[in-house]
Every structure is written in structure tokens, then in C-alpha cells.
mmCIF file of all heavy atoms in Angstrom:
data_model
loop_
_atom_site.group_PDB
_atom_site.id
_atom_site.type_symbol
_atom_site.label_atom_id
_atom_site.label_comp_id
_atom_site.label_asym_id
_atom_site.label_seq_id
_atom_site.Cartn_x
_atom_site.Cartn_y
_atom_site.Cartn_z
ATOM 1 N N PRO A 1 26.668 97.319 45.375
ATOM 2 C CA PRO A 1 26.283 97.396 46.833
ATOM 3 C C PRO A 1 24.897 96.702 47.030
ATOM 4 O O PRO A 1 24.133 96.600 46.124
ATOM 5 C CB PRO A 1 26.246 98.886 47.122
ATOM 6 C CG PRO A 1 25.881 99.500 45.843
ATOM 7 C CD PRO A 1 26.492 98.670 44.803
ATOM 8 N N MET A 2 24.622 96.296 48.239
ATOM 9 C CA MET A 2 23.425 95.648 48.581
ATOM 10 C C MET A 2 22.883 96.157 49.899
ATOM 11 O O MET A 2 23.537 96.410 50.831
ATOM 12 C CB MET A 2 23.641 94.095 48.788
ATOM 13 C CG MET A 2 22.378 93.317 49.263
ATOM 14 S SD MET A 2 22.683 91.576 49.491
ATOM 15 C CE MET A 2 22.826 91.007 47.808
ATOM 16 N N ILE A 3 21.513 96.414 49.909
ATOM 17 C CA ILE A 3 20.783 96.657 51.136
ATOM 18 C C ILE A 3 19.976 95.419 51.397
ATOM 19 O O ILE A 3 19.330 94.905 50.530
ATOM 20 C CB ILE A 3 19.819 97.894 50.970
ATOM 21 C CG1 ILE A 3 20.607 99.195 50.811
ATOM 22 C CG2 ILE A 3 18.892 98.070 52.167
ATOM 23 C CD1 ILE A 3 19.803 100.358 50.464
ATOM 24 N N SER A 4 20.138 94.875 52.630
ATOM 25 C CA SER A 4 19.452 93.580 52.940
ATOM 26 C C SER A 4 18.700 93.641 54.210
ATOM 27 O O SER A 4 19.020 94.441 55.120
ATOM 28 C CB SER A 4 20.444 92.448 52.907
ATOM 29 O OG SER A 4 21.498 92.724 53.883
ATOM 30 N N VAL A 5 17.660 92.811 54.315
ATOM 31 C CA VAL A 5 16.902 92.649 55.511
ATOM 32 C C VAL A 5 16.814 91.197 55.795
ATOM 33 O O VAL A 5 16.788 90.383 54.921
ATOM 34 C CB VAL A 5 15.474 93.275 55.389
ATOM 35 C CG1 VAL A 5 15.548 94.767 55.175
ATOM 36 C CG2 VAL A 5 14.663 92.597 54.265
ATOM 37 N N TRP A 6 16.773 90.828 57.120
ATOM 38 C CA TRP A 6 16.548 89.480 57.433
ATOM 39 C C TRP A 6 15.053 89.108 57.376
ATOM 40 O O TRP A 6 14.269 89.974 57.737
ATOM 41 C CB TRP A 6 17.180 89.036 58.723
ATOM 42 C CG TRP A 6 16.779 89.822 59.932
ATOM 43 C CD1 TRP A 6 15.504 90.084 60.382
ATOM 44 C CD2 TRP A 6 17.665 90.370 60.913
ATOM 45 N NE1 TRP A 6 15.578 90.823 61.526
ATOM 46 C CE2 TRP A 6 16.850 90.996 61.883
ATOM 47 C CE3 TRP A 6 19.036 90.428 61.036
ATOM 48 C CZ2 TRP A 6 17.412 91.713 62.968
ATOM 49 C CZ3 TRP A 6 19.562 91.079 62.148
ATOM 50 C CH2 TRP A 6 18.738 91.731 63.050
ATOM 51 N N ASP A 7 14.723 87.903 57.073
ATOM 52 C CA ASP A 7 13.347 87.387 57.308
ATOM 53 C C ASP A 7 13.473 86.285 58.303
ATOM 54 O O ASP A 7 14.343 86.316 59.165
ATOM 55 C CB ASP A 7 12.767 86.921 55.947
ATOM 56 C CG ASP A 7 11.205 86.835 56.042
ATOM 57 O OD1 ASP A 7 10.611 87.298 56.980
ATOM 58 O OD2 ASP A 7 10.587 86.100 55.128
ATOM 59 N N ASP A 8 12.664 85.239 58.186
ATOM 60 C CA ASP A 8 12.646 84.246 59.259
ATOM 61 C C ASP A 8 13.799 83.240 59.217
ATOM 62 O O ASP A 8 14.295 82.824 60.255
ATOM 63 C CB ASP A 8 11.271 83.480 59.286
ATOM 64 C CG ASP A 8 10.823 82.931 57.989
ATOM 65 O OD1 ASP A 8 11.262 83.364 56.938
ATOM 66 O OD2 ASP A 8 9.942 82.023 58.055
ATOM 67 N N HIS A 9 14.195 82.793 58.020
ATOM 68 C CA HIS A 9 15.110 81.681 57.970
ATOM 69 C C HIS A 9 16.567 82.072 58.327
ATOM 70 O O HIS A 9 17.353 81.142 58.565
ATOM 71 C CB HIS A 9 15.057 81.038 56.587
ATOM 72 C CG HIS A 9 13.819 80.300 56.265
ATOM 73 N ND1 HIS A 9 13.434 79.138 56.998
ATOM 74 C CD2 HIS A 9 12.698 80.590 55.479
ATOM 75 C CE1 HIS A 9 12.315 78.764 56.575
ATOM 76 N NE2 HIS A 9 11.781 79.615 55.665
ATOM 77 N N GLU A 10 16.787 83.341 58.433
ATOM 78 C CA GLU A 10 18.112 83.774 59.001
ATOM 79 C C GLU A 10 18.118 83.384 60.460
ATOM 80 O O GLU A 10 19.248 83.417 61.078
ATOM 81 C CB GLU A 10 18.348 85.228 58.794
ATOM 82 C CG GLU A 10 18.679 85.659 57.332
ATOM 83 C CD GLU A 10 17.458 85.879 56.528
ATOM 84 O OE1 GLU A 10 16.336 85.581 56.922
ATOM 85 O OE2 GLU A 10 17.638 86.382 55.349
ATOM 86 N N SER A 11 17.040 83.186 61.147
ATOM 87 C CA SER A 11 16.958 82.699 62.521
ATOM 88 C C SER A 11 16.334 81.322 62.546
ATOM 89 O O SER A 11 17.017 80.277 62.725
ATOM 90 C CB SER A 11 16.256 83.714 63.364
ATOM 91 O OG SER A 11 14.950 84.031 62.858
ATOM 92 N N ALA A 12 14.990 81.246 62.352
ATOM 93 C CA ALA A 12 14.263 79.999 62.293
ATOM 94 C C ALA A 12 12.885 80.228 61.658
ATOM 95 O O ALA A 12 12.328 81.309 61.749
ATOM 96 C CB ALA A 12 14.066 79.406 63.688
ATOM 97 N N ASN A 13 12.391 79.183 61.019
ATOM 98 C CA ASN A 13 11.130 79.367 60.280
ATOM 99 C C ASN A 13 10.013 79.999 61.188
ATOM 100 O O ASN A 13 9.771 79.646 62.302
ATOM 101 C CB ASN A 13 10.566 78.022 59.766
ATOM 102 C CG ASN A 13 9.381 78.057 58.931
ATOM 103 O OD1 ASN A 13 9.359 78.843 57.941
ATOM 104 N ND2 ASN A 13 8.313 77.391 59.316
ATOM 105 N N ASP A 14 9.283 80.948 60.472
ATOM 106 C CA ASP A 14 8.188 81.631 61.099
ATOM 107 C C ASP A 14 8.537 82.226 62.450
ATOM 108 O O ASP A 14 7.852 82.058 63.467
ATOM 109 C CB ASP A 14 6.918 80.722 61.266
ATOM 110 C CG ASP A 14 6.228 80.498 59.916
ATOM 111 O OD1 ASP A 14 6.655 81.107 58.898
ATOM 112 O OD2 ASP A 14 5.227 79.730 59.904
ATOM 113 N N SER A 15 9.691 82.891 62.525
ATOM 114 C CA SER A 15 10.090 83.535 63.708
ATOM 115 C C SER A 15 9.288 84.802 64.023
ATOM 116 O O SER A 15 8.773 85.412 63.147
ATOM 117 C CB SER A 15 11.605 83.829 63.739
ATOM 118 O OG SER A 15 11.937 84.577 62.570
ATOM 119 N N TRP A 16 9.255 85.166 65.311
ATOM 120 C CA TRP A 16 8.625 86.374 65.785
ATOM 121 C C TRP A 16 9.456 86.818 66.902
ATOM 122 O O TRP A 16 10.474 86.203 67.250
ATOM 123 C CB TRP A 16 7.121 86.184 66.145
ATOM 124 C CG TRP A 16 6.797 85.095 67.066
ATOM 125 C CD1 TRP A 16 6.918 83.717 66.901
ATOM 126 C CD2 TRP A 16 6.366 85.270 68.450
ATOM 127 N NE1 TRP A 16 6.558 83.037 68.067
ATOM 128 C CE2 TRP A 16 6.209 83.944 68.967
ATOM 129 C CE3 TRP A 16 6.031 86.325 69.174
ATOM 130 C CZ2 TRP A 16 5.743 83.772 70.309
ATOM 131 C CZ3 TRP A 16 5.597 86.166 70.509
ATOM 132 C CH2 TRP A 16 5.439 84.871 71.093
ATOM 133 N N LYS A 17 9.085 87.856 67.603
ATOM 134 C CA LYS A 17 10.048 88.486 68.614
ATOM 135 C C LYS A 17 10.334 87.594 69.852
ATOM 136 O O LYS A 17 11.392 87.631 70.391
ATOM 137 C CB LYS A 17 9.479 89.807 69.061
ATOM 138 C CG LYS A 17 8.180 89.775 69.853
ATOM 139 C CD LYS A 17 7.834 91.186 70.298
ATOM 140 C CE LYS A 17 6.468 91.223 71.036
ATOM 141 N NZ LYS A 17 6.078 92.628 71.432
ATOM 142 N N GLU A 18 9.400 86.606 70.123
ATOM 143 C CA GLU A 18 9.562 85.807 71.306
ATOM 144 C C GLU A 18 9.650 84.346 70.956
ATOM 145 O O GLU A 18 9.516 83.478 72.005
ATOM 146 C CB GLU A 18 8.464 86.111 72.323
ATOM 147 C CG GLU A 18 8.519 87.559 72.860
ATOM 148 C CD GLU A 18 7.391 87.765 73.796
ATOM 149 O OE1 GLU A 18 6.640 86.852 74.196
ATOM 150 O OE2 GLU A 18 7.262 88.962 74.217
ATOM 151 N N GLY A 19 9.781 83.977 69.779
ATOM 152 C CA GLY A 19 9.856 82.466 69.440
ATOM 153 C C GLY A 19 9.754 82.236 67.924
ATOM 154 O O GLY A 19 9.954 83.195 67.114
ATOM 155 N N ALA A 20 9.635 80.913 67.554
ATOM 156 C CA ALA A 20 9.612 80.587 66.171
ATOM 157 C C ALA A 20 8.919 79.223 66.019
ATOM 158 O O ALA A 20 9.093 78.365 66.925
ATOM 159 C CB ALA A 20 10.988 80.566 65.544
ATOM 160 N N GLN A 21 8.254 78.997 64.928
ATOM 161 C CA GLN A 21 7.730 77.652 64.702
ATOM 162 C C GLN A 21 8.849 76.621 64.723
ATOM 163 O O GLN A 21 8.598 75.491 65.267
ATOM 164 C CB GLN A 21 7.050 77.666 63.323
ATOM 165 C CG GLN A 21 6.407 76.332 62.913
ATOM 166 C CD GLN A 21 7.407 75.443 62.214
ATOM 167 O OE1 GLN A 21 8.355 75.932 61.530
ATOM 168 N NE2 GLN A 21 7.213 74.104 62.324
ATOM 169 N N ASN A 22 9.947 76.933 64.160
ATOM 170 C CA ASN A 22 11.042 75.997 64.080
ATOM 171 C C ASN A 22 12.090 76.104 65.248
ATOM 172 O O ASN A 22 13.258 75.929 65.038
ATOM 173 C CB ASN A 22 11.772 76.002 62.692
ATOM 174 C CG ASN A 22 12.600 74.810 62.491
ATOM 175 O OD1 ASN A 22 12.353 73.736 62.925
ATOM 176 N ND2 ASN A 22 13.676 75.077 61.761
ATOM 177 N N HIS A 23 11.583 76.489 66.385
ATOM 178 C CA HIS A 23 12.464 76.536 67.572
ATOM 179 C C HIS A 23 11.708 75.736 68.713
ATOM 180 O O HIS A 23 10.669 76.129 69.097
ATOM 181 C CB HIS A 23 12.779 77.944 68.044
ATOM 182 C CG HIS A 23 13.705 77.953 69.254
ATOM 183 N ND1 HIS A 23 15.015 77.635 69.153
ATOM 184 C CD2 HIS A 23 13.433 78.157 70.564
ATOM 185 C CE1 HIS A 23 15.596 77.733 70.372
ATOM 186 N NE2 HIS A 23 14.602 78.046 71.162
ATOM 187 N N GLN A 24 12.419 74.776 69.215
ATOM 188 C CA GLN A 24 11.881 73.955 70.311
ATOM 189 C C GLN A 24 12.711 74.231 71.603
ATOM 190 O O GLN A 24 13.869 73.618 71.662
ATOM 191 C CB GLN A 24 11.836 72.421 69.987
ATOM 192 C CG GLN A 24 10.803 72.098 68.872
ATOM 193 C CD GLN A 24 11.245 72.667 67.482
ATOM 194 O OE1 GLN A 24 12.383 72.443 67.073
ATOM 195 N NE2 GLN A 24 10.288 73.223 66.832
ATOM 196 N N PRO A 25 12.292 74.971 72.501
ATOM 197 C CA PRO A 25 13.117 75.342 73.672
ATOM 198 C C PRO A 25 13.529 74.171 74.495
ATOM 199 O O PRO A 25 14.610 74.170 75.048
ATOM 200 C CB PRO A 25 12.216 76.325 74.520
ATOM 201 C CG PRO A 25 11.216 76.770 73.527
ATOM 202 C CD PRO A 25 10.995 75.661 72.563
ATOM 203 N N GLU A 26 12.693 73.058 74.513
ATOM 204 C CA GLU A 26 13.095 71.945 75.316
ATOM 205 C C GLU A 26 14.288 71.218 74.772
ATOM 206 O O GLU A 26 15.010 70.485 75.588
ATOM 207 C CB GLU A 26 11.908 70.989 75.437
ATOM 208 C CG GLU A 26 11.404 70.413 74.105
ATOM 209 C CD GLU A 26 10.470 71.348 73.302
ATOM 210 O OE1 GLU A 26 10.291 72.528 73.733
ATOM 211 O OE2 GLU A 26 9.831 70.805 72.369
ATOM 212 N N THR A 27 14.636 71.360 73.507
ATOM 213 C CA THR A 27 15.823 70.647 72.959
ATOM 214 C C THR A 27 16.797 71.629 72.373
ATOM 215 O O THR A 27 17.992 71.238 72.199
ATOM 216 C CB THR A 27 15.374 69.651 71.865
ATOM 217 O OG1 THR A 27 14.647 70.377 70.856
ATOM 218 C CG2 THR A 27 14.502 68.579 72.450
ATOM 219 N N GLU A 28 16.354 72.830 72.111
ATOM 220 C CA GLU A 28 17.308 73.772 71.476
ATOM 221 C C GLU A 28 17.668 75.054 72.307
ATOM 222 O O GLU A 28 18.361 75.955 71.796
ATOM 223 C CB GLU A 28 16.716 74.228 70.109
ATOM 224 C CG GLU A 28 16.563 73.103 69.139
ATOM 225 C CD GLU A 28 15.803 73.466 67.895
ATOM 226 O OE1 GLU A 28 14.950 74.321 67.923
ATOM 227 O OE2 GLU A 28 16.032 72.826 66.849
ATOM 228 N N GLY A 29 17.205 75.031 73.605
ATOM 229 C CA GLY A 29 17.563 76.138 74.423
ATOM 230 C C GLY A 29 16.682 77.321 74.284
ATOM 231 O O GLY A 29 15.658 77.265 73.703
ATOM 232 N N GLU A 30 17.126 78.378 74.955
ATOM 233 C CA GLU A 30 16.300 79.580 75.032
ATOM 234 C C GLU A 30 16.257 80.265 73.670
ATOM 235 O O GLU A 30 17.283 80.398 72.985
ATOM 236 C CB GLU A 30 16.888 80.578 76.099
ATOM 237 C CG GLU A 30 16.813 80.019 77.485
ATOM 238 C CD GLU A 30 17.301 81.058 78.544
ATOM 239 O OE1 GLU A 30 17.586 82.263 78.084
ATOM 240 O OE2 GLU A 30 17.553 80.697 79.687
ATOM 241 N N TRP A 31 15.134 80.769 73.297
ATOM 242 C CA TRP A 31 14.945 81.478 72.005
ATOM 243 C C TRP A 31 15.827 82.742 72.002
ATOM 244 O O TRP A 31 16.404 83.107 70.969
ATOM 245 C CB TRP A 31 13.499 81.829 71.788
ATOM 246 C CG TRP A 31 13.292 82.757 70.671
ATOM 247 C CD1 TRP A 31 12.837 84.072 70.662
ATOM 248 C CD2 TRP A 31 13.646 82.543 69.239
ATOM 249 N NE1 TRP A 31 12.831 84.624 69.477
ATOM 250 C CE2 TRP A 31 13.273 83.757 68.515
ATOM 251 C CE3 TRP A 31 14.059 81.486 68.522
ATOM 252 C CZ2 TRP A 31 13.435 83.864 67.156
ATOM 253 C CZ3 TRP A 31 14.286 81.519 67.148
ATOM 254 C CH2 TRP A 31 13.937 82.775 66.479
ATOM 255 N N GLU A 32 15.879 83.444 73.103
ATOM 256 C CA GLU A 32 16.635 84.725 73.075
ATOM 257 C C GLU A 32 18.051 84.472 72.794
ATOM 258 O O GLU A 32 18.755 85.322 72.156
ATOM 259 C CB GLU A 32 16.460 85.410 74.468
ATOM 260 C CG GLU A 32 15.028 86.101 74.645
ATOM 261 C CD GLU A 32 14.731 87.062 73.587
ATOM 262 O OE1 GLU A 32 15.665 87.865 73.242
ATOM 263 O OE2 GLU A 32 13.591 87.120 73.158
ATOM 264 N N VAL A 33 18.656 83.325 73.221
ATOM 265 C CA VAL A 33 20.013 83.012 72.989
ATOM 266 C C VAL A 33 20.192 82.695 71.457
ATOM 267 O O VAL A 33 21.168 83.219 70.769
ATOM 268 C CB VAL A 33 20.486 81.791 73.794
ATOM 269 C CG1 VAL A 33 21.914 81.403 73.411
ATOM 270 C CG2 VAL A 33 20.442 82.213 75.250
ATOM 271 N N ARG A 34 19.291 81.882 70.904
ATOM 272 C CA ARG A 34 19.381 81.560 69.496
ATOM 273 C C ARG A 34 19.188 82.838 68.635
ATOM 274 O O ARG A 34 19.975 83.136 67.656
ATOM 275 C CB ARG A 34 18.342 80.538 69.105
ATOM 276 C CG ARG A 34 18.443 80.127 67.683
ATOM 277 C CD ARG A 34 17.487 78.948 67.337
ATOM 278 N NE ARG A 34 17.590 78.474 66.007
ATOM 279 C CZ ARG A 34 16.928 77.425 65.509
ATOM 280 N NH1 ARG A 34 16.005 76.785 66.247
ATOM 281 N NH2 ARG A 34 17.154 77.051 64.280
ATOM 282 N N LYS A 35 18.230 83.714 68.965
ATOM 283 C CA LYS A 35 17.924 84.911 68.230
ATOM 284 C C LYS A 35 19.103 85.821 68.250
ATOM 285 O O LYS A 35 19.517 86.356 67.193
ATOM 286 C CB LYS A 35 16.710 85.589 68.786
ATOM 287 C CG LYS A 35 16.285 86.860 68.021
ATOM 288 C CD LYS A 35 14.969 87.414 68.457
ATOM 289 C CE LYS A 35 15.076 88.091 69.837
ATOM 290 N NZ LYS A 35 13.864 88.820 70.183
ATOM 291 N N ALA A 36 19.741 85.921 69.423
ATOM 292 C CA ALA A 36 20.899 86.775 69.488
ATOM 293 C C ALA A 36 22.109 86.295 68.647
ATOM 294 O O ALA A 36 22.795 87.082 68.041
ATOM 295 C CB ALA A 36 21.398 86.900 70.978
ATOM 296 N N ALA A 37 22.317 84.989 68.622
ATOM 297 C CA ALA A 37 23.326 84.416 67.801
ATOM 298 C C ALA A 37 22.986 84.618 66.209
ATOM 299 O O ALA A 37 23.860 85.040 65.524
ATOM 300 C CB ALA A 37 23.474 82.894 68.060
ATOM 301 N N ALA A 38 21.820 84.491 65.945
ATOM 302 C CA ALA A 38 21.463 84.691 64.497
ATOM 303 C C ALA A 38 21.644 86.099 64.098
ATOM 304 O O ALA A 38 22.179 86.431 62.965
ATOM 305 C CB ALA A 38 19.925 84.238 64.257
ATOM 306 N N LYS A 39 21.171 87.069 64.914
ATOM 307 C CA LYS A 39 21.361 88.512 64.608
ATOM 308 C C LYS A 39 22.845 88.859 64.567
ATOM 309 O O LYS A 39 23.303 89.636 63.689
ATOM 310 C CB LYS A 39 20.625 89.370 65.595
ATOM 311 C CG LYS A 39 19.099 89.220 65.536
ATOM 312 C CD LYS A 39 18.344 89.837 66.662
ATOM 313 C CE LYS A 39 18.367 91.298 66.619
ATOM 314 N NZ LYS A 39 17.455 91.877 67.606
ATOM 315 N N ARG A 40 23.616 88.397 65.535
ATOM 316 C CA ARG A 40 25.006 88.685 65.541
ATOM 317 C C ARG A 40 25.767 88.187 64.278
ATOM 318 O O ARG A 40 26.542 89.008 63.642
ATOM 319 C CB ARG A 40 25.684 88.111 66.785
ATOM 320 C CG ARG A 40 27.234 88.227 66.794
ATOM 321 C CD ARG A 40 27.826 87.765 68.124
ATOM 322 N NE ARG A 40 29.288 87.741 68.008
ATOM 323 C CZ ARG A 40 30.037 87.616 69.103
ATOM 324 N NH1 ARG A 40 29.511 87.423 70.241
ATOM 325 N NH2 ARG A 40 31.379 87.657 68.966
ATOM 326 N N VAL A 41 25.493 86.979 63.921
ATOM 327 C CA VAL A 41 26.208 86.426 62.707
ATOM 328 C C VAL A 41 25.748 87.104 61.460
ATOM 329 O O VAL A 41 26.617 87.388 60.588
ATOM 330 C CB VAL A 41 26.036 84.918 62.678
ATOM 331 C CG1 VAL A 41 26.653 84.316 61.429
ATOM 332 C CG2 VAL A 41 26.554 84.255 63.941
ATOM 333 N N TYR A 42 24.516 87.451 61.364
ATOM 334 C CA TYR A 42 23.987 88.178 60.192
ATOM 335 C C TYR A 42 24.804 89.492 60.065
ATOM 336 O O TYR A 42 25.219 89.892 58.951
ATOM 337 C CB TYR A 42 22.497 88.456 60.373
ATOM 338 C CG TYR A 42 21.892 89.151 59.156
ATOM 339 C CD1 TYR A 42 21.392 88.429 58.068
ATOM 340 C CD2 TYR A 42 21.722 90.515 59.152
ATOM 341 C CE1 TYR A 42 20.821 89.030 57.001
ATOM 342 C CE2 TYR A 42 21.183 91.183 58.033
ATOM 343 C CZ TYR A 42 20.653 90.433 56.951
ATOM 344 O OH TYR A 42 20.080 91.049 55.998
ATOM 345 N N ARG A 43 24.946 90.231 61.154
ATOM 346 C CA ARG A 43 25.655 91.445 61.146
ATOM 347 C C ARG A 43 27.153 91.266 60.971
ATOM 348 O O ARG A 43 27.816 92.322 60.547
ATOM 349 C CB ARG A 43 25.294 92.277 62.455
ATOM 350 C CG ARG A 43 23.874 92.794 62.420
ATOM 351 C CD ARG A 43 23.370 93.284 63.695
ATOM 352 N NE ARG A 43 22.030 93.932 63.535
ATOM 353 C CZ ARG A 43 21.217 94.210 64.565
ATOM 354 N NH1 ARG A 43 21.649 93.842 65.766
ATOM 355 N NH2 ARG A 43 20.072 94.694 64.376
ATOM 356 N N GLU A 44 27.674 90.119 61.317
ATOM 357 C CA GLU A 44 29.153 89.883 61.063
ATOM 358 C C GLU A 44 29.362 89.699 59.556
ATOM 359 O O GLU A 44 30.292 90.205 58.926
ATOM 360 C CB GLU A 44 29.613 88.668 61.828
ATOM 361 C CG GLU A 44 29.756 88.835 63.251
ATOM 362 C CD GLU A 44 30.032 87.467 64.028
ATOM 363 O OE1 GLU A 44 29.881 86.435 63.379
ATOM 364 O OE2 GLU A 44 30.431 87.627 65.259
ATOM 365 N N TRP A 45 28.524 88.843 58.923
ATOM 366 C CA TRP A 45 28.723 88.350 57.604
ATOM 367 C C TRP A 45 28.119 89.187 56.483
ATOM 368 O O TRP A 45 28.505 88.999 55.326
ATOM 369 C CB TRP A 45 28.299 86.896 57.515
ATOM 370 C CG TRP A 45 29.235 85.930 57.917
ATOM 371 C CD1 TRP A 45 29.385 85.467 59.238
ATOM 372 C CD2 TRP A 45 30.227 85.293 57.161
ATOM 373 N NE1 TRP A 45 30.520 84.546 59.254
ATOM 374 C CE2 TRP A 45 31.005 84.394 57.992
ATOM 375 C CE3 TRP A 45 30.590 85.314 55.789
ATOM 376 C CZ2 TRP A 45 31.992 83.633 57.503
ATOM 377 C CZ3 TRP A 45 31.650 84.507 55.336
ATOM 378 C CH2 TRP A 45 32.315 83.653 56.193
ATOM 379 N N MET A 46 27.229 90.149 56.858
ATOM 380 C CA MET A 46 26.568 90.922 55.794
ATOM 381 C C MET A 46 27.074 92.405 55.879
ATOM 382 O O MET A 46 27.428 92.869 56.915
ATOM 383 C CB MET A 46 25.045 90.865 56.002
ATOM 384 C CG MET A 46 24.443 89.533 55.987
ATOM 385 S SD MET A 46 24.575 88.819 54.340
ATOM 386 C CE MET A 46 23.405 89.851 53.500
#
């Protein structure tokens, strides 16, 4: 069995609650949308 936690690269480099170094809203859309997708898929696949 495994207990796991996400860090930044499961979403984007140097992420925090309202953004990330490797997220550019002007070309990649809203951070909240990307963060929600990253969290959802992590919980699907893990």
C-alpha cells in the first residue's frame, strides 16, 4: 500500500494556492481551472 501527497509538479512548478511559477494565465487560462483538473486527476489515478 502507499500513502501519497502531491507537491508542485502534480499541478505546476512552484505552485501555491492562487498560482504557480509555471502557470501563465494569459496563455493557459485560469489557475483555479488548472488546479481543479490537477487535483481531480490525482484523486482519480492515485
Side-chain angles (χ1 to χ4, degrees):
M2 177 182 286
I3 294 172
S4 58
V5 296
W6 56 50
D7 197 15
D8 52 339
H9 291 292
E10 286 87 350
S11 51
N13 184 56
D14 284 358
S15 53
W16 56 290
K17 63 181 180 179
E18 295 179 7
Q21 177 275 331
N22 193 32
H23 180 74
Q24 291 71 46
E26 62 275 11
T27 58
E28 295 171 332
E30 295 181 12
W31 168 247
E32 288 300 320
V33 174
R34 183 176 185 177
K35 182 173 72 170
K39 293 170 73 171
R40 172 174 175 167
V41 176
Y42 185 86
R43 289 168 173 162
E44 288 173 348
W45 276 87
M46 298 294 288

